[in-house]
Amino acid sequence: MLKQQELEETYKILIVSPEVSPFAKTGGLADVAGSLPKALAMLGNDVRVVLPRYRGINNVTTIADFPVWVDWRKCTAILRQSQIRAKLDEVEKLVPVYLIDNYQYFDRDRLYGFFDEAERFSFFSRAVLEMLKVINFQPDIIHCNDWQTGPIPLLLKDQYSRDPFYAQIATLFTIHNLQYQGNFPRDCLKLLGLDDSYFRPERLEFYGDMSFMKAGLLYADVINTVSKTYAQEIQTPERGERMDGVLRSRAKDLYGIVNGINYHEFNPETDPRIYRNYGLNNLSEKKENKYELQKEMSLPVSDVPVIGIVSRLVAQKGLDLISEALDAIVASGVQLVILGTGEDYYENLLRDAQARHPDRVGVYIGFNAVLAQRIYAGSDMYLMPSLFEPCGLGQLISLRYGTIPIVRATGGLADTIKDYDPRTESGNGFTFKDYSSGQLLLALKRALDVYRQPERWLRLMQSAMRSDFSWNKSAVEYMGVYMAARSKHGMVAAATV
Ligand code: ADP
């Protein structure tokens, strides 16, 4: 997309995200918002990050406070600061991280899921724009992520752009998961200082509600999602979550860029969280990780194939297929290790499976970043039969640890995992298309056939570990999209003069 020499142009970038690793994480968005800025910094950009300061985020410096209007109320934003360290070979860069605090909105026991979400993220969205003057940072690009940041492009365009300080700032809105849209009752418009004229289908009205996601999709200069296939899928009624019409109307400005992972953090040679470090040259050590994992999960220590799953326990992740196929998976002679948290129904279903197959199924309900790494390292295969998947990180982390993904070919899974062909030995995993437990079991059977041929399996592990899903390529693609946003903004600004 972008040639290397064009990188001579660098940008001032503000990345806005409701969660950023290592400060706050519920899913893949945090990984992306924590690792993309490092890669962008390494390309020479002045990149900064902002998120809410939730309870439990410590070691921050307080740098300012300022007022933020939410409807008729003048609230206080306390601005705190921290940093992310980016390191590449001998070069080290520090990415400033701003944290917007307000005790009423963010000092709570979890990140999301409250009655006043519209109010919390109206406050946050406006506070981000107000913050820019306080820290005197005029970005070329504000890169917004997911519905919580959707109002920012709208506020910028309709309320701030007459101020020369804000006039040149272009926006990108990234969809990490279209299912979570931030749709709220009509009177929430007031929280953003918007009148009823915004309650129209061509603006924020969305099936009787107003939608934060729609604000981002309509008002950002350009939009993207986290894989090319998902970018196509969300333009169809089947996967468009009722936003497909809006997305089709912006098809020319809609890009797909697959996520990367941080190859320094996710490195089996140095990862301090796994039991035994290993790499391409001493892959036999991977086995030790398997045995220790079996012990930790109270499973018999043995050489049977271990299949790992690390996932939010929601329908999107294919839990219904897993549940349907579980007894047959177990009967095929493998052990299943599952780490996850989510809906009670699926949590109970997995606890029940463990009770029925105590020697075959190990389940840990909860969020545990250390155990997650131990599963990626200690499993032979990684199962991800998602109903839909914007990008997916689990399969990318697995590849890095030589753990072979078995995935349903949808969204980012289709873009990153190529089906193994026994004739040419090409491919880096096993894929199936139909959302059916029969298809899942067939893919598993093909994987087990190869697993039983140790030399072939070793070559497959090696080629999985050699595939490159670091940020190198995707960060350069983001630079291309930032450039597109800037030229679009220039065009739009010129057209409205
Ligand atoms: P999503 O963002 O839809 O949840 P992704 O595959 O993009 O899915 O990212 C999930 C990230 O969260 C991965 O880094 C995965 O390892 C991690 N993760 C998911 N569930 C857990 C858990 N219960 N404990 C620890 N890490 C988890």
Side-chain angles (χ1 to χ4, degrees):
M1 175 182 231
L2 201 71
K3 288 191 221 81
Q4 210 58 32
Q5 67 267 23
E6 284 171 299
L7 283 180
E8 277 163 20
E9 180 164 19
T10 56
Y11 302 121
K12 288 186 283 175
I13 304 160
L14 181 72
I15 295 187
V16 191
S17 173
E19 53 186 90
V20 179
S21 187
F23 301 96
K25 168 167 169 172
T26 69
L29 168 58
D31 292 316
V32 174
S35 53
L36 172 62
K38 295 187 199 182
L40 291 168
M42 285 302 167
L43 291 175
N45 297 287
D46 176 357
V47 53
R48 309 184 190 193
V49 179
V50 58
L51 76 154
R53 193 268 183 125
Y54 303 102
R55 181 185 293 173
I57 303 181
N58 297 315
N59 296 326
V60 290
T61 313
T62 303
I63 54 174
D65 64 66
F66 54 92
V68 175
W69 287 99
V70 178
D71 195 359
W72 54 270
R73 268 165 295 126
K74 203 175 192 179
C75 305
T76 303
I78 308 166
L79 187 60
R80 314 208 194 254
Q81 191 173 355
S82 182
Q83 61 200 22
I84 303 177
R85 196 177 299 273
K87 204 162 182 287
L88 187 70
D89 304 323
E90 292 313 301
V91 185
E92 191 173 283
K93 297 208 170 162
L94 294 177
V95 176
V97 176
Y98 299 100
L99 299 114
I100 290 176
D101 203 348
N102 173 288
Y103 289 109
Q104 186 193 336
Y105 291 134
F106 299 123
D107 186 24
R108 303 188 185 181
D109 63 0
R110 57 184 194 278
L111 271 58
Y112 317 123
F114 299 98
F115 71 98
D116 57 350
E117 295 297 77
E119 192 175 326
R120 298 171 78 216
F121 289 102
S122 292
F123 167 81
F124 176 66
S125 293
R126 188 175 293 284
V128 167
L129 292 170
E130 295 289 336
M131 174 192 81
L132 295 177
K133 278 200 166 170
V134 175
I135 60 172
N136 194 23
F137 181 56
Q138 250 177 316
D140 299 309
I141 284 279
I142 300 182
H143 178 171
C144 301
N145 293 278
D146 274 356
W147 71 260
Q148 293 89 343
T149 65
I152 292 174
L154 180 154
L155 294 176
L156 188 62
K157 207 163 263 176
D158 285 6
Q159 295 179 9
Y160 286 75
S161 65
R162 262 157 282 152
D163 179 338
F165 183 90
Y166 293 95
Q168 303 301 321
I169 303 175
T171 51
L172 164 67
F173 181 80
T174 302
I175 305 161
H176 293 265
N177 191 334
L178 190 63
Q179 195 174 39
Y180 305 107
Q181 301 179 337
N183 301 330
F184 302 106
R186 173 183 189 155
D187 63 355
C188 289
L189 286 172
K190 284 191 303 207
L191 299 169
L192 294 164
L194 302 174
D195 62 30
D196 257 5
S197 69
Y198 283 84
F199 199 72
R200 295 206 305 255
E202 63 277 21
R203 290 184 154 184
L204 301 198
E205 183 181 354
F206 187 68
Y207 295 91
D209 280 332
M210 59 85 82
S211 170
F212 274 37
M213 171 74 87
K214 192 172 173 187
L217 296 180
L218 285 181
Y219 287 82
D221 290 307
V222 297
I223 55 185
N224 82 303
T225 187
V226 288
S227 67
K228 292 196 172 27
T229 297
Y230 192 60
Q232 293 307 315
E233 288 171 347
I234 56 178
Q235 296 181 54
T236 66
E238 195 196 354
R239 282 279 150 257
E241 307 284 352
R242 304 195 296 179
M243 250 350 145
D244 47 297
V246 176
L247 288 160
R248 283 195 301 276
S249 78
R250 298 228 51 196
K252 278 209 295 298
D253 299 319
L254 170 58
Y255 297 82
I257 304 179
V258 78
N259 289 329
I261 56 170
N262 183 330
Y263 267 38
H264 296 283
E265 184 191 346
F266 297 116
N267 181 355
E269 291 180 35
T270 53
D271 190 339
R273 297 165 293 195
I274 65 177
Y275 309 102
R276 189 76 69 89
N277 290 117
Y278 62 95
L280 269 171
N281 299 327
N282 59 342
L283 250 177
S284 54
E285 298 288 309
K286 182 169 162 64
K287 267 236 156 83
E288 296 303 320
N289 286 289
K290 170 164 162 174
Y291 298 148
E292 292 299 324
L293 178 65
Q294 288 170 324
K295 284 186 215 158
E296 183 163 348
M297 299 303 287
S298 307
L299 293 169
V301 173
S302 99
D303 281 320
V304 297
V306 170
I307 302 183
I309 296 175
V310 180
S311 180
R312 287 186 295 120
L313 302 178
V314 295
Q316 179 206 331
K317 299 293 178 181
L319 264 292
D320 295 304
L321 277 197
I322 293 171
S323 132
E324 233 180 272
L326 198 130
D327 290 344
I329 294 174
V330 166
S332 69
V334 305
Q335 290 176 347
L336 255 185
V337 172
I338 306 172
L339 163 64
T341 172
E343 290 171 20
D344 290 348
Y345 171 76
Y346 295 119
E347 291 185 353
N348 290 333
L349 197 142
L350 294 177
R351 284 195 190 99
D352 178 58
Q354 183 179 30
R356 278 186 290 122
H357 307 285
D359 287 351
R360 291 286 172 183
V361 180
V363 174
Y364 181 109
I365 301 293
F367 195 93
N368 185 331
V370 174
L371 182 58
Q373 290 319 112
R374 293 177 171 181
I375 294 176
Y376 290 121
S379 305
D380 297 295
M381 300 163 198
Y382 185 80
L383 182 59
M384 206 161 165
S386 303
L387 176 62
F388 69 93
E389 194 58 73
C391 177
L393 296 178
Q395 83 280 17
L396 304 182
I397 304 171
S398 296
L399 289 173
R400 178 82 168 136
Y401 285 76
T403 301
I404 304 304
I406 302 172
V407 306
R408 178 162 175 265
T410 179
L413 295 171
D415 291 359
T416 56
I417 304 302
K418 298 294 164 219
D419 199 33
Y420 179 77
D421 180 342
R423 282 175 304 120
T424 58
E425 297 204 346
S426 63
N428 56 4
F430 297 87
T431 70
F432 61 98
K433 283 214 170 68
D434 293 347
Y435 189 73
S436 85
S437 55
Q439 290 276 306
L440 185 163
L441 290 167
L442 279 177
L444 173 62
K445 184 177 174 308
R446 287 192 292 120
L448 291 175
D449 286 345
V450 181
Y451 183 83
R452 285 189 206 100
Q453 306 168 60
E455 284 179 9
R456 266 179 184 259
W457 190 259
L458 181 65
R459 287 195 293 276
L460 175 54
M461 285 163 72
Q462 286 166 337
S463 75
M465 290 175 84
R466 280 197 200 99
S467 50
D468 182 3
F469 288 101
S470 66
W471 271 107
N472 294 343
K473 197 163 145 269
S474 296
V476 173
E477 284 193 42
Y478 267 102
M479 296 291 287
V481 172
Y482 294 152
M483 192 191 280
R486 275 170 56 73
S487 69
K488 179 93 190 178
H489 189 76
M491 275 159 45
V492 173
T496 52
V497 186

